[in-house]
Amino acid sequence: MIAATLIALVVGLAFIAGCALYYGRQISSRRIPMQWDSDGQPAWFAPRLVGLWFSFGVTAALSVFLLVLALHAPQKLTALIVATISVIGANMWVQVYHLRRVIRWQAEAPAN
């Protein structure tokens, strides 16, 4: 079961990295929005590199943490594996949504 989770982690991280590379070519801004206010305007910015790769780092760190917990608490293995796969899947979706939103923002405000 751990092997399947590791495969999911590798596939998820490859997907997230692929998105960063693919969408990153379309983002020319040096600083990109990391979050939006309720009015649709950027709430805060991060350097381009951080903005592109943040989801990758968060996914890797949380997944490693959850897998280490699974190894130390085998009685909770199933729940921790479900949590790990949920983190991976959610962050895959977040990466695509975020980078596509940044591209849309950049097109709407080319002076950025």
Side-chain angles (χ1 to χ4, degrees):
M1 201 148 160
I2 293 278
T5 306
L6 290 174
I7 291 169
L9 176 59
V10 169
V11 168
L13 289 176
F15 177 85
I16 291 169
C19 287
L21 295 172
Y22 176 78
Y23 290 114
R25 288 184 238 168
Q26 301 172 45
I27 299 171
S28 59
S29 213
R30 288 185 12 196
R31 297 182 59 78
I32 63 174
M34 293 299 288
Q35 185 178 15
W36 283 266
D37 284 333
S38 58
D39 64 356
Q41 296 302 311
W44 63 280
F45 294 80
R48 183 176 183 275
L49 187 64
V50 172
L52 291 174
W53 292 98
F54 183 78
S55 187
F56 183 91
V58 168
T59 302
L62 285 175
S63 296
V64 166
F65 175 73
L66 290 169
L67 288 171
V68 167
L69 282 179
L71 294 174
H72 289 339
Q75 71 277 15
K76 297 180 181 178
L77 181 66
T78 303
L80 290 168
I81 287 176
V82 168
T84 303
I85 292 173
S86 298
V87 164
I88 295 166
N91 284 344
M92 288 168 68
W93 179 85
V94 165
Q95 178 77 331
V96 171
Y97 176 80
H98 175 249
L99 295 179
R100 290 183 73 187
R101 179 65 182 104
V102 168
I103 291 167
R104 212 176 13 205
W105 165 81
Q106 182 177 263
E108 293 168 359
N112 294 315

